[in-house]
Amino acid sequence: MARVIIRTLFALVCIGLGYTFFPAIRGSGESAVFANAGLAGAIYGLAVALLIIALELLFAKKFIQSVPVIMISLIFGFIVAKLFVDAMFLVPAIKTAAEQDLVLNSALNLIVVFVFTYLSVIVIFRTKDEWKFIIPYVEFRRTQRGAKPLILDTSCLIDGRIADILATGAVDNQVVIPAFVMREAQAVADSKDRLKRRRGRRGLDILNKIRQNPDIEVILHEAHYGSVSRVDEKLIRMARDLDGKIVTTDFNLIKVAAVQGIPVINLNDLAEALKPVIIPGEEMSLQLIRPGEESGQAVGYLDDGTMVVVDDAHDFIGKTAEITITSIHQSSAGKMFFGRIKGRERNDGRKRK
């Protein structure tokens, strides 16, 4: 309600300024002309007020990179409107009528300017991505210098590993957390399902952990994209607008973004790439925690969760043993290592190789 009152007062002030100062600008000694000039000034003032209010409503929630598009569109629209008005006044009947009636003259100018500036803004906004092909090196979007910003989605926050990755300092990209992602995480945290509620709260905890790290540049982006309903589509729109990368574990989002040419960082792929490279013959210390499927086997796990099966190690269960990797088994579920106790001989008296 307060905004409506402020906008109404602003429009009244513009009308009053136009009514007061436009006659003085036009200049005339006849009172009738002054009255018409005052009315024309009031119309101009109202038009300016409505234009400013419309721009405020239209672009209040848009990105700052929309400003150059608006300015170029308005300049182009004014130029075209000026040329159209000059051409229209070449018609004797229109020129005579406009010279005799100041209100008609002002109304014609106002309507033409409004129509052409509106059309210019709409057309350039709808075709802004194509202008770089019409005019070389011209592109109506922010040019990203340096590392591209990382845009986090809800699954990335719930997963939690991104906080540890950022805390290492190995990634110095700007981190963008969209407002609609925060709202989605909040909605999951408020779910009636206990598991979903725990996952949502974990996502919010990870978000706070990232924000509290002074070494991480975090931006909470307030873009709404009201015309788009699905969060995945909003993320893709934001990545395109900011020239950024989406960080996620959502398989469907990864596929859709790849189709549209949006760069994506899959946390699962990143974790797989960061696993240590282990080759047969390598020695390590490993805690054996349970028996294996075969007789005499013991099972332990690496720090990343990879299973290691050790032969003839039943007596080491519950202990930390020095082992030697003998082979690697790769399956669709991941890698699994096989090994033996370091220095332990076979039953036939020979050492394992």
Side-chain angles (χ1 to χ4, degrees), residues 68-86:
V69 185
I70 299 171
M71 298 304 298
I72 293 176
S73 303
L74 291 177
I75 293 173
F76 183 75
F78 276 119
I79 292 174
V80 175
K82 173 62 176 174
L83 295 175
F84 185 85
V85 169
D86 290 344

Side-chain angles (χ1 to χ4, degrees), residues 15-282:
I15 293 172
L17 291 174
Y19 183 85
T20 302
F21 293 105
F22 190 75
I25 296 174
R26 296 291 296 181
S28 175
E30 300 178 8
S31 59
V33 175
F34 264 80
N36 290 339
L39 178 59
I43 295 175
Y44 273 120
L46 178 61
V48 171
L50 293 177
L51 178 61
I52 294 175
I53 293 173
L55 291 175
E56 183 262 330
L57 291 174
L58 185 59
F59 302 109
K61 298 179 181 179
K62 299 294 181 181
F63 305 114
I64 191 64
Q65 58 261 36
S66 298
V67 174
V69 185
I70 299 171
M71 298 304 298
I72 293 176
S73 303
L74 291 177
I75 293 173
F76 183 75
F78 276 119
I79 292 174
V80 175
K82 173 62 176 174
L83 295 175
F84 185 85
V85 169
D86 290 344
M88 186 173 58
F89 283 167
L90 292 177
V91 179
I94 297 178
K95 182 178 180 180
T96 302
E99 289 177 348
Q100 294 177 352
D101 192 336
L102 183 60
V103 176
L104 176 62
N105 189 352
S106 300
L108 287 174
N109 282 274
L110 177 61
I111 293 172
V112 171
V113 169
F114 179 79
V115 169
F116 279 98
T117 52
Y118 174 78
L119 291 176
S120 177
V121 171
I122 295 300
V123 170
I124 292 182
F125 254 101
R126 289 183 177 178
T127 61
K128 61 181 179 180
D129 293 330
E130 308 302 326
W131 278 79
K132 59 182 177 182
F133 300 108
I134 300 174
I135 307 176
Y137 311 109
V138 172
E139 187 174 357
F140 293 118
R141 67 176 183 179
R142 183 172 64 90
T143 301
Q144 179 68 30
R145 298 183 181 274
K148 294 185 177 182
L150 303 180
I151 304 172
L152 309 187
D153 85 328
T154 310
S155 67
C156 169
L157 294 175
I158 293 176
D159 178 87
R161 289 175 291 182
I162 186 64
D164 296 330
I165 294 173
L166 295 174
T168 63
V171 180
D172 58 358
N173 305 58
Q174 187 181 74
V175 177
V176 178
I177 302 176
F180 52 81
V181 167
M182 294 179 58
R183 288 194 294 270
E184 185 179 43
Q186 182 65 55
V188 175
D190 294 337
S191 173
K192 295 181 180 180
D193 184 273
R194 185 174 65 178
L195 179 59
K196 287 185 178 181
R197 187 164 59 247
R198 289 179 58 186
R199 287 165 56 85
R201 290 175 180 175
R202 172 177 171 78
L204 295 176
D205 291 340
I206 294 298
L207 171 59
N208 290 328
K209 182 178 179 181
I210 294 174
R211 292 184 61 187
Q212 291 171 4
N213 191 329
D215 298 325
I216 304 175
E217 183 183 358
V218 180
I219 293 180
L220 300 180
H221 210 297
E222 294 294 336
H224 291 271
Y225 297 107
S227 60
V228 181
S229 58
R230 299 182 66 250
V231 172
D232 289 359
E233 296 176 2
K234 293 181 180 181
L235 284 167
I236 291 174
R237 285 274 299 274
M238 178 174 287
R240 183 179 291 113
D241 290 338
L242 300 182
D243 193 20
K245 298 180 180 180
I246 300 174
V247 184
T248 182
T249 61
D250 188 332
F251 180 79
N252 293 328
L253 175 58
I254 293 170
K255 291 298 182 182
V256 173
V259 170
Q260 300 193 31
I262 302 298
V264 178
I265 297 178
N266 185 347
L267 279 184
N268 293 327
D269 290 344
L270 181 61
E272 184 68 26
L274 291 176
K275 287 184 177 180
V277 178
I278 299 176
I279 59 177
E282 187 169 342

